[in-house]
Amino acid sequence: MKKITKKMMSAMLAAVLAVSTPVSVPVMNNTALAAEESQLETVKEWTSQADYAAWYYGDGWEGGYQGSEYSKAGLGYDENMDALKVAVDYSKDKAQTWSQMAVCIWDEGLDLTGATQAELDLIYDSAKLDGGLTIKAYSNAGIDQYVAVNTENAETAEGTNLSKVHVTIPFAAPVSKEASDFAICLIGNETSYKGNIYLKDIKIMKAPSEDIDVNSTIPVKDTTELTLAKLSLTSEVTLADAEATADTKAVYAYLDAVGKSEYVIYGHQDDTWHKAGDLLCKNGIESDTYDITGSLPGVMGVDTLALLGNEYSAERYNNEIIPITGEVPLPETMEGNLQAIANISNQAIEAGSIITLSSHMPNFSVVEEKADYKEGDPTYMKYDFSGYTPNTLSGDPVNQILPGGKYNEKFNAFLDVIAAYAKKVDGTILFRPFHENTGSWFWWGAAFCDAATYKSVYKYTVEYLRDEKDVHNMLYLYGPSSEAASMEEYEVRYPGDEYVDMVGFDMYNIKAPADNSAWYDSFEKELQIVNDFAKTHNKLVAVTETGAANDPQPGENQTALLKTGNEARDWYNKVMEIVSKSDASYYLLWANFSKTDGYYTPYVDSVNEDGTLHGHELLDDFIDFFNRQESLFAVNQKDVLDAVDGDQIQAVSAMKDAAGYITAPISGSRILEPTTLQAKVNGEYSEKKVKAEFILHGNTDIKVKAKSKVKKGETCYSAELSQKNLDKLGESVGTIDLVLNGVVKDTVNAVFNIQPPKEDPYMIDDFENYYGQETLLTKSWSANKATGNTIALSLVQDADKVFSGKYALKFDYNETSDGWAGATISKTVDWSDCNALDFYTVPDGKNQLVVVQLSAGGKVYETYLNLYEEYANAEAGTLLHVTIPFSKFVSRDEAGKPAGGLSADCASVTSFGLWVNAIPDSPAVADGMVAGTIYYDHITATQTENTEAVIVPAK
């Protein structure tokens, strides 16, 4: 992606899947070589002045990069360095996690056959590198790989004060054809680096390859015989959009019927344009599923990244599809990109697939306006939505995208992109916005907004698409993470029956063992909770994301399935059997990005003369899954979907009476002066039908009647909170209710007449500024946990737990033997004048893996208290004073967990976390569970002369 390349998505996914502590960042590895140096053979190299002089700036390769003119003027051979000099300017791109430019070489007949990796020396000024760098190799010969530059391995370039790193970029597979181009993309990762970078001794190498593929032994023989008569179709559906198209009503009825049957639909993200197998595309279909089975998946996942030209594009469509179809090429513009992915979606629909759309939305606080925008162009042409920033957690966008918020116009323009795509799609879209919201790895996560704000943002999204843009071919999905331990917990952020058609959850299986019963049990329990919730609320249900995944293997950026040695070989069938017992209609696997960027299904590399397949070791297992009676692919459901007559199905609105939500003030706001209270009420209800008022609860209750303003498709209500009424509320932590026709429809939190505390940039928390109100505590600290685990945060005033002031944090956990739980708080600050973290804690004596975590410089750094002898041996209940130098924190997501990086990255701290991970064989684990309570107080950055951690009883 960046342009956005496919790999960053798999890197982002690793963030979601990280088990030790779930808040994470892309994990990339540039330390592994495809083979030993002595075995490598040079295919092509650029090492001389004449070689370097032939390189040119790659116009059009930019993704989130604003330094083009600087780079064009500063590219060329450097005599002193005997290297290719590349001037880069990321000074305007500091907020971008992926800011890409490129240098290129063109050589007709460039033969890269057999090449397995590229390598070069990267020379840079470490004093200017305040973030990270990534290098990508690209060629039309099929090379499209990237690695992060491991600056920990830097040495001094001879005769200079510059740093040098040798970078190796392994390719997904040996190159099998000639090329005419090769490009090196330099990508800034949250850096403001401005100056020269030198590329020296650029080589493309090849190594002997070992064939670890297997031949299939089971023939593809689908036994599924699905007919309309085998399904019990309803004649009436209750929808968030009562004006849904006939096809959308039909798809809803079909999914409902499948969910209540023994059948399970197989789903796969990005199925027809991302693949791991080497088999050449058939009729423009780049699908591992199709290569194995001859069918597309029953549900195909698309992400809005593809709508923007990041994961798919008009350029790719023109190169791959147009030569086959002979159609008129699409314009390589935003409009062309939208049409390209719509065409691909329609092709899948025609084959029998159902489309589901997820959205890794950009962080709207870093989205810039385009200088070339012309009045009258579509609204989304006004903004640059390129770059991958859903995991950029700064800027507070989620609290600023509702009407009146400073990013509302940008958000509306982004929704206009989705609406434009939806109107080009000849079928139904299962739209899943703001997914995995109960975690905190995306800017809309639990750490960055309270439940009331999340619900309002979701509702607004539905209303905008449905009522403002007249999109009526969507079903709306609510898909959080998988940590809910009860229906009540699942409901905390649920937007409401009026706005949701389907519920689900995302749950991945990490390092699936041969005896995978523990994960299957957890998966089944979570599915049962969500299934029961769906029944109670009369909603469809699905497993919205799943898959088996592993830690990155040597030479791979991300790893889902292993190339060899996967133990849970019956995974697809086992998951299907569990889903089949529920009302869930499908489960969706994440994408097959490439062999080195993660794949969730097996793949085919070639077809043998006898027709058997040659490819990944799970081929037989996946064929067996396809052949099962219960599994549904596109080929199985096409005729049935075509036969369902949506015109004969009645749609009933899920909205039974007036529904609305407060748009201002945002939940949790501090109200210090007279302010306007605002709410939206669904447009079905005119002002004559609704009596609206706000009730404010502080030291006393204040009731304010709301006045309406009717616009197309909506009714807005507002009221003024006067100084007199504000005074009556007093200094209090309270709430504001929206009451429609005597019924409370929405409630937001508010702080009345209490001045904000003075900001201390060094203090993470001393727990005094919540005034003893745990609603304020849990708004700042976002909890997260594994399935079947619990965590509770509260404030205590016990003298033996509090270091200073009145309050300390109480951290209660109850975990399975392989579980985890924790909480994070946002903190964007420069700690470059500090070198240590200082806090007070009371251990519980359970000595589980007690994690203290800092996110900084785009990386996650951790230290583990139980590994310090002074902590592990301390008597439970003892208040300890802990000082840990930054140099002792390790980089969680780098191979070997190297220490020291936080000392360099502490200028860009973004969050802090406290976690407990259960240790399975610990004496504290009893009957598969471990529970405990740890206390924390006065967590701050400091300066220390000590080079080792100091843990002593508090004075």
Side-chain angles (χ1 to χ4, degrees), residues 364-591:
F364 296 104
S365 71
V366 300
V367 168
E368 301 289 343
E369 289 192 25
K370 291 181 179 178
D372 58 353
Y373 175 72
K374 297 181 181 63
E375 200 67 38
D377 285 346
T379 55
Y380 47 78
M381 297 299 294
K382 186 175 182 179
Y383 301 102
D384 181 4
F385 292 124
S386 66
Y388 182 84
T389 57
N391 60 345
T392 296
L393 306 179
S394 58
D396 197 31
V398 70
N399 292 300
Q400 294 292 335
I401 59 176
L402 288 173
K406 57 185 175 181
Y407 306 130
N408 179 248
E409 184 180 335
K410 295 178 182 179
F411 181 48
N412 288 349
F414 182 79
L415 293 179
D416 289 345
V417 176
I418 297 172
Y421 164 72
K423 292 185 177 184
K424 294 176 184 293
V425 172
D426 300 327
T428 297
I429 299 167
L430 314 180
F431 182 39
R432 183 168 60 107
F434 304 109
H435 67 298
E436 296 175 2
N437 62 90
T438 47
S440 296
W441 38 86
F442 299 133
W443 55 258
W444 55 85
F448 311 106
C449 66
D450 66 10
T453 297
Y454 176 82
K455 293 177 186 180
S456 295
V457 168
Y458 188 104
K459 293 173 184 178
Y460 177 80
T461 301
V462 173
E463 288 184 352
Y464 186 88
L465 292 169
R466 182 191 63 197
D467 303 334
E468 291 290 324
K469 306 306 294 185
D470 291 322
V471 172
H472 299 295
N473 61 331
M474 280 187 170
L475 297 173
Y476 295 94
L477 278 64
Y478 173 66
S481 304
S482 61
E483 66 275 9
S486 65
M487 286 173 56
E488 292 74 22
E489 187 175 346
Y490 186 86
E491 191 167 20
V492 169
R493 288 179 175 254
Y494 176 64
D497 290 347
E498 301 91 340
Y499 297 91
V500 175
D501 296 304
M502 174 181 279
V503 295
F505 64 101
D506 294 2
M507 184 172 178
Y508 287 84
N509 190 183
I510 311 302
K511 301 179 184 177
D515 179 8
N516 203 19
S517 56
W519 186 84
Y520 293 138
D521 288 346
S522 295
F523 177 76
E524 187 167 12
K525 288 177 182 177
E526 189 66 18
L527 178 55
Q528 187 62 55
I529 290 169
V530 180
N531 194 78
D532 290 346
F533 184 90
K535 284 184 177 180
T536 302
H537 292 262
N538 191 27
K539 301 300 173 186
L540 300 177
V541 62
V543 180
T544 43
E545 282 184 36
T546 189
N550 289 272
D551 291 337
Q553 301 298 295
E556 299 180 12
N557 300 311
Q558 297 299 318
T559 301
L561 294 180
L562 299 171
K563 286 186 171 64
T564 185
N566 295 278
E567 296 182 13
R569 299 184 65 95
D570 57 352
W571 193 91
Y572 305 104
N573 281 330
K574 288 288 190 182
V575 171
M576 179 177 65
E577 289 164 5
I578 294 169
V579 174
S580 179
K581 292 185 292 184
S582 74
D583 290 337
S585 54
Y586 72 84
Y587 72 83
L588 179 134
L589 304 180
W590 204 241

